[in-house]
Amino acid sequence: MSKELTSREADYSQWYNDLVIKGGLADYSAVRGCMVIKPYGFTLWENMRDVLDKKFKQTGHVNAYFPLLIPKSFLSKEAAHIEGFATECAVVTHYRLKSDPNGGGMIVDPEAKLEEELIIRPTSETIIWNTYKTWIQSYRDLPILVNQWANVVRWEMRTRLFLRTAEFLWQEGHTAHATPQEAIDETKQMLEVYAEFAEKYMAMPVIKGVKTANERFAGAVDTYTIEALMQDGKALQSGTSHFLGQNFAKAFDVKFASKEGVEEYVWATSWGVSTRLIGALIMAHSDDDGLIIPPKIAPFHVVLIPFLQKNVEERTAIEAKTKEIKTALEEKGIRVMLDMDDSKRPGFKFAEYELKGIPVRIVIGPRDLANGVVEVARRDTKEKSLVQLEGLEQTITQLLDDIQENIYQKALKFRDDSITKVDTWDEFISVLDGKAGFILAHWDGTSETETKIKELTKATIRCIPLDNPLEDGKCILTGKPSIQRVLFARAY
RNA sequence: CGGGGCGUAGCGCAGUCCGGUAGCGUAUCUGGUUUGGGACCAGAGGGUCGUAGGUUCGAAUCCUGCCGCCCCGACCA
């Protein structure tokens, strides 16, 4: 009752905010645009991070760490790159405070001005390529396959919890290669890693594709993306992998001597996913009762709620049985939250853990104990059933798999039902303003047309899907010839 | 930066039009009864009313400035 949620229908944005705040994932902070990620939200992030980190290592990458602060001049070295980030950089200008001679507080010491300002990294290509210059002389030094887990700052005008905060956590992979093909293969490989993670772990179907010039990363030759669909029909770019060509190698003069003894510029990639994925997760699956988190990354798989009676004998029996169940489940690798709090009634707890999206709830009362069963409720469908204590671990393990699969299938069906092919401008508008979702339509391939469509409708080309079938057609806006449909949507 | 909304107890709000020294719900603490879908009773504690100034005998309330946050838009992952 104290935690009434706004429904999706009433106000989708507010529903999202309610879930983040009341679900205990994050809080607003004292700093504009920056959030506090609370333990429950951070555990979720850690689970996601651990899976990804393992996949990075399996594909040959190692972790390293580069500075938060970047000399301003570094950012200016790659023309497109600075163009993309200049308007959202936080700048450090001084290195000392002093007591305010006019009052109690502190002021920036005007004597302590930095000779060269430092930028708080919005991304690390520049500092990393400046470093790689010293690491690379020969083809024998290649490839370099480095990832870093870090925070970055982008001074956004408008922020939203997880989806767009001024500071966010992410990983950024930065690789250096001797040949363009090797770099392109790396770019595509990491896109696959992201897509597999999104689908297998987050239970969130994604469309893999290439960005158009308008949507490309500042400084990239090609940007590959995974695009997910949220329940309100808007798309969310959920991860990107960039083929950087020789742009940064040229900007930072990073050359290597090839086997043939010829000096060549190094080929590069970068790729990243961020805490934005948590926003994607929330909007992909959750409902009006709260979060729905897929088991594979959920902070807890199961919440155990015993009915604690006053009768000491009964109470002791239930407590003992509950702990026994907890241990048995944990031995099978199931993450269990045990709620023995006596000050809250069961009904309250049911609602609370539904809000938090714990996939499975197990309730144990005296009645159950007598019958050798427990009540098991699944968060995704809200179904309840009585389950034999005998073999409970197997039942729950199976149930968690079922839930993971069900959440994915539900999201997949929604996503597939939300892809519409249109051939005319009128259809395009009517779908955008009606069912929304992804729209496959012909486009004449020019930046001008894409920009015009964005101005008119706020829809952008999310990507040109990989393995896109070629098909002759006419651009929905200009009527000019087109060789393939591209994927449009309004996006976050 | 434009438009809208809001700042009063931990949280959510009323009170502001019409000035008289702050209230409701919830949460918290104590005690008791409860416990199979957000318990109940009794008692208690908790607020420089965002901030600075002005008007007034008297300001949460009227006037002015400032600050902050949220939502919508332009910008972006």
Side-chain angles (χ1 to χ4, degrees):
Chain A
M1 285 202 292
S2 60
K3 288 198 174 174
E4 283 299 327
L5 294 177
T6 308
S7 71
R8 284 167 289 188
E9 198 186 353
D11 185 342
Y12 193 84
S13 299
Q14 193 55 48
W15 165 79
Y16 174 81
N17 287 335
D18 281 1
L19 255 57
V20 173
I21 302 288
K22 294 176 179 172
L25 297 175
D27 263 338
Y28 293 109
S29 74
V31 185
R32 188 209 76 105
C34 295
M35 64 177 173
V36 174
I37 304 177
K38 297 177 76 176
Y40 189 62
F42 201 80
T43 304
L44 176 58
W45 175 239
E46 283 176 321
N47 290 345
M48 294 164 71
R49 198 187 58 185
D50 290 349
V51 173
L52 285 166
D53 198 64
K54 200 170 165 193
K55 286 179 182 289
F56 297 158
K57 285 170 182 162
Q58 281 167 352
T59 44
H61 302 86
V62 288
N63 286 329
Y65 188 78
F66 294 84
L68 170 72
L69 300 173
I70 299 176
K72 192 180 74 179
S73 57
F74 281 22
L75 216 64
S76 336
K77 290 196 179 181
E78 213 288 327
H81 193 64
I82 182 65
E83 178 91 9
F85 287 104
T87 57
E88 49 189 48
C89 287
V91 185
V92 179
T93 56
H94 292 74
Y95 58 86
R96 193 162 64 209
L97 298 176
K98 65 173 191 180
S99 304
D100 186 348
N102 303 316
M106 302 294 284
I107 59 165
V108 173
D109 186 346
E111 306 277 299
K113 196 168 186 312
L114 288 170
E115 221 163 275
E116 180 179 3
E117 291 96 336
L118 297 167
I119 310 298
I120 300 178
R121 63 181 164 219
T123 179
S124 300
E125 274 78 4
T126 59
I127 184 78
I128 287 178
W129 279 87
N130 178 75
T131 307
Y132 281 180
K133 179 178 167 58
T134 70
W135 291 4
I136 299 168
Q137 277 91 41
S138 146
Y139 73 93
R140 294 175 200 275
D141 299 321
L142 296 172
I144 293 178
L145 304 172
V146 164
N147 175 64
Q148 87 166 340
W149 290 95
N151 57 339
V152 289
V153 169
R154 296 181 187 175
W155 212 265
E156 300 291 348
M157 300 205 186
R158 209 181 129 214
T159 57
R160 295 199 64 189
L161 294 163
F162 287 115
L163 294 176
R164 189 175 299 106
T165 44
E167 179 189 10
F168 58 92
L169 305 183
W170 77 345
Q171 57 69 218
E172 44 181 329
H174 295 274
T175 68
H177 306 267
T179 66
Q181 192 54 51
E182 198 182 305
I184 290 168
D185 289 347
E186 164 79 4
T187 310
K188 290 181 176 170
Q189 171 184 245
M190 298 324 286
L191 188 78
E192 286 300 326
V193 167
Y194 290 155
E196 198 206 346
F197 173 72
E199 300 194 338
K200 297 259 170 64
Y201 290 83
M202 296 177 64
M204 184 175 77
V206 292
I207 293 178
K208 294 173 282 192
V210 189
K211 288 289 189 186
T212 60
N214 285 19
E215 300 284 322
R216 195 180 287 153
F217 174 73
V221 174
D222 265 318
T223 289
Y224 292 81
T225 178
I226 51 170
E227 296 286 327
L229 189 68
M230 305 295 102
Q231 293 180 56
D232 63 348
K234 286 169 83 173
L236 184 77
Q237 179 176 307
S238 302
T240 47
S241 184
H242 315 291
F243 171 55
L244 301 174
Q246 296 173 308
N247 291 347
F248 285 90
K250 285 177 179 166
F252 287 88
D253 192 34
V254 186
K255 294 180 196 162
F256 71 102
S258 71
K259 247 179 206 168
E260 295 74 30
V262 183
E263 265 207 337
E264 292 174 37
Y265 285 111
V266 175
W267 299 85
T269 83
S270 69
W271 28 273
V273 293
S274 71
T275 39
R276 177 179 240 209
L277 283 177
I278 295 176
L281 184 77
I282 295 166
M283 289 199 291
H285 303 310
S286 302
D287 65 19
D288 289 349
D289 294 318
L291 297 166
I292 292 178
I293 305 179
K296 284 194 176 167
I297 51 170
F300 297 102
H301 292 131
V302 169
V303 57
L304 272 179
I305 303 178
F307 281 85
L308 298 169
Q309 308 291 314
K310 262 281 146 45
N311 178 311
V312 178
E313 207 171 299
E314 221 166 34
R315 189 191 174 92
T316 312
I318 287 179
E319 277 181 359
K321 195 70 201 175
T322 303
K323 285 176 183 163
E324 196 182 300
I325 293 171
K326 179 172 190 272
T327 306
L329 291 174
E330 281 174 341
E331 276 170 6
K332 298 287 178 191
I334 296 168
R335 299 190 282 272
V336 182
M337 141 94 80
L338 170 56
D339 189 343
M340 292 279 229
D341 184 351
D342 211 3
S343 68
K344 302 273 190 296
R345 302 174 89 230
F348 179 90
K349 295 181 182 180
F350 296 172
E352 185 68 16
Y353 295 116
E354 277 162 15
L355 170 58
K356 285 182 163 294
I358 297 184
V360 173
R361 176 182 74 230
I362 300 179
V363 177
I364 309 140
R367 218 159 64 199
D368 304 317
L369 209 53
N371 297 328
V373 297
V374 288
E375 184 192 83
V376 172
R378 50 190 285 179
R379 175 62 184 89
D380 60 335
T381 61
K382 303 291 264 326
E383 286 165 340
K384 289 190 271 197
S385 57
L386 291 175
V387 173
Q388 295 294 322
L389 268 171
E390 188 71 35
L392 180 66
E393 308 90 76
Q394 286 76 7
T395 313
I396 297 299
T397 303
Q398 181 60 49
L399 179 60
L400 289 169
D401 287 346
D402 288 351
I403 292 172
Q404 181 82 27
E405 180 63 15
N406 180 54
I407 293 175
Y408 176 71
Q409 289 302 335
K410 196 178 167 201
L412 183 62
K413 180 171 192 317
F414 175 77
R415 200 278 309 273
D416 287 346
D417 289 347
S418 301
I419 301 178
T420 314
K421 277 189 187 179
V422 312
D423 293 305
T424 68
W425 184 251
D426 287 348
E427 279 180 273
F428 185 71
I429 299 292
S430 100
V431 173
L432 270 181
D433 292 338
K435 71 184 271 204
F438 287 124
I439 300 178
L440 282 168
H442 282 283
W443 162 61
D444 65 19
T446 66
S447 266
E448 294 71 33
T449 300
E450 184 179 0
T451 304
K452 185 82 183 170
I453 291 172
K454 186 179 179 185
E455 279 168 8
L456 291 170
T457 65
K458 288 175 199 133
T460 50
I461 299 176
R462 301 319 303 155
C463 68
I464 301 162
L466 297 186
D467 309 319
N468 204 30
L470 294 182
E471 172 194 308
D472 288 333
K474 284 180 181 171
C475 174
I476 48 163
L477 184 68
T478 63
K480 289 180 186 163
S482 151
I483 55 161
Q484 62 182 338
R485 290 173 187 273
V486 296
L487 194 69
F488 285 91
R490 291 198 177 119
Y492 278 95

